[in-house]
Amino acid sequence: MSKKIKANIISISVSVLLTFLITVLVLLIIGKNPAEVFIMMFEDVFGSGYGFGQTLFKATPLIICGCGLAICFHASLFNIGAEGQLNAGAFVTALVAFALSNAGFLIAVPAALICGFIVSGALGLVPAVIKVKKGVSEVITTIMMNFIILASINFFLIDFFAVKSTVHTEKIPDGIMISKMSDLLPGFQGSSLNLTFVFAILMAVATYFFIYKTKTGYKIRSVGFNETASRYMGIKTNRIVMLAFFIGSGLTSFVGMNFIMGYKGYYEFGFSNNLGFTAIAVALLAKNNPIGIIFSALLFGFLDYGGLAVNTLVPKEIMFVIQGIVILTILSVDKLVEKYYLK
Amino acid sequence: MNIIEFSNISKKFGNLKANDNISFAVRKNSVHCIVGENGAGKSTLMKILFGSYRQDSGIMKVNGSDVSFNSPLDAIANGIGMLHQHFMLIEDFTVMENVILGSEKTLNIKIDFEESERVLKEYIKKYNLDLNLNKKISELSISEQQKVEILKLLYRNSEIIIFDEPTAVLSPIEVLEFFKIIFQFKVEGKTIILITHKLNEVREISDYVSVLRRGKLVYETEKDILDLKVLSREIVGNVEIQDENTGFDYEGEPEVIAGLNNINLSVNKISVLNNLDLKLKKGEVYGICGVEGNGQNEVINILFGLEKNFTGKLNIFTDKISLVPDDRLKKGMIKEFSVGENLIIKKKECHYISNKCLKKTAEETISKYDVRMPDINAPMESLSGGNQQKVIIAREIELGNDLLIFSHPTRGVDIAASAFIHSTILQQKKKGKSILLVSSDLDEILKLSDRLGVISKGRIVAEFDRNQYNLQNEVEKTILLESIGKLMIGITGEQKN
């Protein structure tokens, strides 16, 4: 096992390094000075509490969503539907929080989160049931579910719940907002970083514990490795598939906490900005290890905010290019490490 | 003339010396058996010969000249072919497509199927392979799939053919057919290297025998002076093989623990179980023998609760059932998990899976069942077949269940581990457990079971109890074995007592 962990660390570091080199090359090709770009990026991210806070803020939902997806991925369920699942969950979270706003923080927030979890989880169950009953690949069904869910949210939002001539719900009162990090650590002044970040870290630890240290987590991994053997070992594999999908999808709804209760106060259509897809990359980079996901989410948060920071020099889209390259390199470096290090 | 020469071949995996200074030669046009326990280094040596591994040191000569293979492609180019234990076939392709894949004969840009078919039909006729070139692999039985692999080797004009435990998946009659193919190979002037565990096979077909033990070549012999007792002693080293036949006695009528009554089952509209009746009693070993694919797996799945779409009556008077499945890799274990992880997954205790708990579970089993492995955290896939099987058996037995199902428990397992597994099964019987033993190895069934049923085409066509077959008279025994053999392939009419 320890050799495997070492191999993982090697392949992740090599691919990050490789990505860096490719990025330098790309910058040179488009006629920019890589040093200038990188210095500006680092100065912005690490030079001020605001920049650093924004980076952590961007990483928060990636940690949360990445952990949810990791549970699915451990069961070998390639859930591409997080984008839809998390939007539905966040939407419901915002509605419930608003409806219960008179009940106070201690009731409204947990209730809203639980309702969001159930809705996201239930939507995750749809592809799970179709897979278990009819053997349809979850890749196809989850992609289709994204279209269905996002269109439905749009319909319900515009027709029933949105504040007139906007695409967002009613703002929840300040009483049920989550504290800004800057309230505790004034250094983060101005950034949107809030306590959801701490929640995300705790969630990653809990997910790690769940996957690697509980019987259920073992069963999920066992089904992921070899479903037939799991069945012959007496594991109710269908139940595990549904459970993994329910919990995994359910957890993605917690991204709403960061945006709604920690930042804007309402659900806004399109807030996720492909978060559900980026999180796939985050989980992949971390090999579905929740602790690793914290770090890969930080890297992606860094690229995300850093891209904004250097927007005057290079288009921020270059960061998407980098994100893509990271994934391609890790997938290929993995194979090399497997061949030359593990053998 | 020596067609292959190994001199001082060594190969290490970590600290384990898989091959330790091995030197011997294989004569042209001979059948050379390489025997040894699991983990003795047979497969490693053959993989070196076939180019899958590279030796750390030592020289290998083929046809008198030094060779160094970087991949199996180099070996194939040198006329070496290998039939692996696990077949390399594409299920959805036809027999012909599988055989020609990779070395297709072409006509302009088209694959020349007519020419291939002509060539292949010649081979099929010459070797009496009885294969339909247009059938898909998924429609074939295991023994037919093996013939497809053999056809592949023929098509590629292999002169030296390595068989890795080829008879492990065959029934006694299919083994005889297989031997005929081997003899035909010899007539054609080919050289055959055979890895095996089964000593009676060695006696039957080998010209030369090399014994490996713990990575070293320990003994060599040849046909005319072959002594199986010496051979088995050389294979296991100093381990005593105890005689298993402890006698079976029970008085009165034991209670029934599970009963299958008039069971019918169809899968994809093909009938697999056909009015099957079976009773398992407390404290007995019931053996089911038969050619593979006659409904054995379905019986197991029904008892274990994995198959529910059957008609008929199933009475099970316990819910504590253990299963050692037939295919370790596919059904028995998670190969990526460590030994401890594979054990703990079925354990009732240990809800929080700590490293301590994992280690303790693994250590207990390792010492109690004499499992040998590189290190305690190593994944199951790094263990040899016999040791993997011991872990699986340990897991199933330690649950303390009432009904234990063993499906081909010693397939691909060496002599010492087989003996261990057999005595474990008998111990469980003594404890009053009910045991269902499914095997295509008739010797194993006869040795262990109190009653045996012959399964053919989805039904038990005959049952015998121990005093019917525990015969001392060799002639009677032979007659009985023959009639069981015939029942297995469904030659005689159905008679059931």
Side-chain angles (χ1 to χ4, degrees):
Chain A
M1 191 67 197
S2 74
K3 186 158 185 182
K4 221 170 166 190
I5 292 173
K6 264 189 225 159
N8 279 346
I9 291 172
I10 292 175
S11 74
I12 290 169
S13 347
V14 170
S15 37
V16 169
L17 191 73
L18 212 60
T19 309
F20 179 75
L21 293 177
I22 295 172
T23 312
V24 168
L25 209 66
V26 170
L27 289 172
L28 286 173
I29 289 170
I30 62 173
K32 305 286 174 192
N33 179 355
E36 198 185 348
V37 173
F38 281 113
I39 288 170
M40 185 164 181
M41 200 163 152
F42 275 85
E43 267 181 357
D44 245 47
V45 171
F46 297 107
S48 70
Y50 169 77
F52 191 56
Q54 283 306 92
T55 302
L56 299 185
F57 173 71
K58 299 266 187 200
T60 307
L62 289 173
I63 297 174
I64 295 173
C65 191
C67 285
L69 287 177
I71 292 176
C72 295
F73 294 165
H74 272 292
S76 262
L77 299 168
F78 215 56
N79 179 7
I80 316 289
E83 183 72 5
Q85 290 149 9
L86 70 87
N87 265 285
F91 180 47
V92 169
T93 303
L95 295 181
V96 172
F98 181 73
L100 295 179
S101 49
N102 292 331
F105 185 92
L106 284 180
I107 291 175
V109 171
L113 289 177
I114 289 168
C115 291
F117 181 93
I118 291 171
V119 168
S120 289
L123 289 170
L125 270 182
V126 175
V129 169
I130 297 175
K131 182 185 173 74
V132 166
K133 295 281 176 208
K134 294 290 165 211
V136 180
S137 161
E138 71 283 2
V139 175
I140 298 164
T141 45
T142 48
I143 291 175
M144 293 304 138
M145 286 293 287
N146 279 339
F147 294 123
I148 298 171
I149 296 170
L150 291 174
S152 311
I153 293 173
N154 199 353
F155 166 74
F156 283 110
L157 181 66
I158 306 291
D159 277 34
F160 300 103
F161 298 107
V163 176
K164 225 173 159 39
S165 70
T166 69
V167 287
H168 62 75
T169 56
E170 301 275 359
K171 192 176 177 327
I172 59 174
D174 287 346
I176 52 174
M177 290 290 278
I178 288 169
S179 309
K180 287 260 186 302
M181 203 66 110
S182 52
D183 296 346
L184 305 166
L185 301 164
F188 288 118
Q189 198 60 45
S191 98
S192 316
L193 184 66
N194 57 77
L195 282 180
T196 310
F197 179 72
V198 178
F199 172 84
I201 301 286
L202 293 177
M203 185 177 137
V205 174
T207 311
Y208 177 89
F209 183 83
F210 174 69
I211 292 174
Y212 292 103
K213 297 291 173 191
T214 67
K215 201 55 96 40
T216 316
Y218 258 61
K219 286 181 180 169
I220 288 175
R221 295 200 301 136
S222 148
V223 170
F225 278 130
N226 185 341
E227 203 198 323
T228 311
S230 306
R231 212 167 49 237
Y232 277 91
M233 290 200 264
I235 296 172
K236 305 240 181 322
T237 52
N238 286 350
R239 232 183 262 179
I240 293 292
V241 165
M242 295 202 277
L243 182 82
F245 241 119
F246 181 73
I247 298 179
S249 311
L251 289 179
T252 64
S253 71
F254 291 155
V255 300
M257 187 173 168
N258 190 47
F259 185 84
I260 298 159
M261 288 133 176
Y263 178 39
K264 287 276 166 113
Y266 50 73
Y267 171 85
E268 186 172 28
F269 195 73
F271 88 94
S272 58
N273 194 17
N274 288 337
L275 174 63
F277 299 109
T278 313
I280 296 175
V282 169
L284 201 62
L285 181 61
K287 312 271 173 154
N288 302 324
N289 180 325
I291 305 301
I293 284 173
I294 299 176
F295 294 99
S296 66
L298 287 173
L299 175 69
F300 274 65
F302 168 75
L303 292 174
D304 203 351
Y305 176 71
L308 288 177
V310 294
N311 207 7
T312 50
L313 289 177
V314 288
K316 69 175 190 304
E317 281 72 19
I318 192 112
M319 294 305 155
F320 298 136
V321 176
I322 299 178
Q323 289 179 0
I325 293 171
V326 172
I327 299 309
L328 294 183
T329 50
I330 186 121
L331 291 177
S332 9
V333 171
D334 249 9
K335 295 287 168 203
L336 292 177
V337 169
E338 214 171 88
K339 191 169 171 191
Y340 292 105
Y341 182 75
L342 284 178
K343 277 258 162 88
Chain B
M1 189 196 133
N2 293 338
I3 193 162
I4 299 167
E5 280 172 45
F6 295 105
S7 27
N8 307 89
I9 300 283
S10 292
K11 173 81 185 170
K12 271 171 98 177
F13 293 105
N15 293 324
L16 183 84
K17 280 187 183 163
N19 283 168
D20 190 359
N21 233 1
I22 295 180
S23 307
F24 70 93
V26 177
R27 310 241 174 115
K28 195 172 161 71
N29 199 14
S30 66
V31 177
H32 195 121
C33 284
I34 298 180
V35 292
E37 297 202 276
N38 277 318
K42 306 176 304 263
S43 294
T44 307
L45 186 66
M46 287 305 110
K47 280 179 179 163
I48 290 172
L49 176 59
F50 193 56
S52 307
Y53 291 153
R54 252 192 121 120
Q55 68 270 34
D56 297 335
S57 62
I59 296 166
M60 201 162 61
K61 282 185 180 172
V62 175
N63 277 322
S65 50
D66 282 13
V67 289
S68 157
F69 298 146
N70 289 319
S71 81
L73 288 178
D74 296 342
I76 291 166
N78 275 279
I80 300 175
M82 182 159 178
L83 197 140
H84 295 272
Q85 222 175 339
H86 302 279
F87 302 146
M88 318 276 179
L89 296 170
I90 297 172
E91 298 253 306
D92 283 337
F93 273 11
T94 63
V95 172
M96 175 144 79
E97 286 167 329
N98 265 287
V99 172
I100 63 173
L101 188 67
S103 29
E104 302 86 352
K105 291 185 169 51
T106 50
L107 193 69
N108 304 326
I109 55 163
K110 246 179 62 202
I111 295 177
D112 191 351
F113 282 110
E114 285 81 24
E115 172 64 11
S116 313
E117 190 172 339
R118 196 185 59 75
V119 174
L120 293 179
K121 278 198 170 148
E122 252 169 47
Y123 284 129
I124 289 177
K125 206 173 147 203
K126 196 195 276 174
Y127 284 84
N128 208 0
L129 291 175
D130 190 23
L131 277 174
N132 180 348
L133 286 174
N134 297 318
K135 265 199 175 177
K136 280 189 181 174
I137 297 299
S138 50
E139 300 169 52
L140 302 184
S141 70
I142 300 269
S143 70
E144 285 174 312
Q145 292 184 14
Q146 190 179 51
K147 286 178 185 167
V148 178
E149 289 282 8
I150 291 172
L151 194 55
K152 263 163 97 176
L153 299 175
L154 289 170
Y155 181 74
R156 284 166 179 69
N157 295 320
S158 308
E159 282 305 310
I160 304 164
I161 299 176
I162 309 166
F163 289 100
D164 190 357
E165 292 184 36
T167 58
V169 293
L170 302 180
S171 71
I173 286 165
E174 290 167 335
V175 170
L176 291 180
E177 272 180 42
F178 175 75
F179 285 173
K180 280 186 197 149
I181 296 174
I182 298 270
F183 286 130
Q184 182 66 28
F185 274 137
K186 246 186 95 175
V187 172
E188 300 278 315
K190 296 183 191 296
T191 307
I192 293 106
I193 301 177
L194 195 81
I195 300 181
T196 183
H197 288 309
K198 297 185 185 167
L199 295 186
N200 50 352
E201 292 180 0
V202 173
R203 183 175 52 198
E204 254 172 78
I205 59 167
S206 66
D207 296 320
Y208 300 95
V209 184
S210 299
V211 180
L212 299 189
R213 193 194 325 140
R214 303 209 167 163
K216 286 190 174 134
L217 180 75
V218 291
Y219 183 67
E220 282 188 285
T221 184
E222 53 182 272
K223 193 177 192 170
D224 302 332
I225 52 165
L226 186 67
D227 181 341
L228 286 189
K229 273 193 186 139
V230 178
L231 198 57
S232 64
R233 203 176 55 229
E234 289 296 341
I235 290 171
V236 291
N238 295 321
V239 185
E240 277 290 308
I241 306 177
Q242 72 256 63
D243 192 21
E244 305 292 338
N245 265 325
T246 51
F248 299 81
D249 53 327
Y250 54 87
E251 289 154 19
E253 191 60 18
E255 54 181 295
V256 172
I257 196 157
L260 292 147
N261 212 324
N262 216 0
I263 299 283
N264 281 289
L265 170 72
S266 297
V267 177
N268 297 331
K269 293 182 184 158
I270 299 165
S271 159
V272 268
L273 294 182
N274 197 350
N275 295 330
L276 180 128
D277 286 314
L278 178 67
K279 271 198 183 75
L280 303 178
K281 294 173 189 167
K282 211 173 164 194
E284 71 160 8
V285 179
Y286 187 96
I288 294 184
C289 60
V291 178
E292 224 169 307
N294 271 287
Q296 292 96 322
N297 281 340
E298 286 73 16
V299 171
I300 292 171
N301 287 352
I302 286 175
L303 283 169
F304 199 60
L306 294 176
E307 177 64 67
K308 299 210 166 70
N309 302 316
F310 57 90
T311 61
K313 209 165 171 206
L314 167 70
N315 293 311
I316 299 188
F317 303 103
T318 177
D319 54 354
K320 295 174 76 184
I321 305 174
S322 283
L323 170 62
V324 176
D326 53 340
D327 187 331
R328 292 191 273 288
L329 283 171
K330 267 194 202 152
K331 301 178 185 168
M333 63 191 215
I334 309 291
K335 66 183 191 328
E336 293 87 349
F337 278 2
S338 71
V339 170
E341 288 173 315
N342 265 293
L343 290 167
I344 220 161
I345 200 143
K346 266 197 140 174
K347 266 192 143 184
K348 295 278 179 297
E349 54 268 27
C350 284
H351 259 282
Y352 164 65
I353 297 162
S354 62
N355 291 337
K356 212 172 100 192
C357 187
L358 278 174
K359 203 170 162 217
K360 200 175 134 238
T361 316
E363 275 169 353
E364 275 170 13
T365 306
I366 288 165
S367 64
K368 192 164 168 191
Y369 290 82
D370 187 30
V371 179
R372 291 180 203 161
M373 55 177 170
D375 86 285
I376 197 159
N377 292 318
M380 272 286 264
E381 60 190 329
S382 65
L383 273 64
S384 71
N387 284 313
Q388 290 171 348
Q389 190 72 345
K390 280 185 188 171
V391 172
I392 295 168
I393 286 176
R395 181 185 70 206
E396 297 303 322
I397 283 178
E398 292 299 315
L399 293 170
N401 286 346
D402 302 326
L403 173 58
L404 312 174
I405 305 172
F406 292 89
S407 182
H408 306 277
T410 57
R411 173 179 287 173
V413 166
D414 59 60
I415 299 172
S418 285
F420 185 85
I421 290 167
H422 285 169
S423 73
T424 309
I425 291 176
L426 292 177
Q427 266 170 29
Q428 291 301 311
K429 169 197 139 78
K430 272 192 190 146
K431 284 187 185 164
K433 311 285 185 192
S434 307
I435 288 152
L436 176 65
L437 172 67
V438 174
S439 177
S440 46
D441 183 347
L442 195 53
D443 288 340
E444 181 170 71
I445 299 264
L446 292 174
K447 190 165 157 192
L448 298 178
S449 46
D450 299 287
R451 290 191 300 144
L452 75 81
V454 182
I455 195 167
S456 174
K457 292 182 185 141
R459 63 186 299 182
I460 303 284
V461 291
E463 278 185 347
F464 299 88
D465 66 35
R466 187 148 191 93
N467 42 34
Q468 275 174 292
Y469 58 77
N470 200 10
L471 302 166
Q472 300 305 321
N473 183 331
E474 282 297 322
V475 180
E476 284 179 66
K477 205 165 184 173
T478 318
I479 293 171
L480 180 85
L481 287 185
E482 248 172 45
S483 68
I484 292 178
K486 280 181 182 164
L487 286 165
M488 279 165 73
I489 53 169
I491 285 179
T492 41
E494 296 154 353
Q495 40 151 266
K496 180 159 177 168
N497 24 338

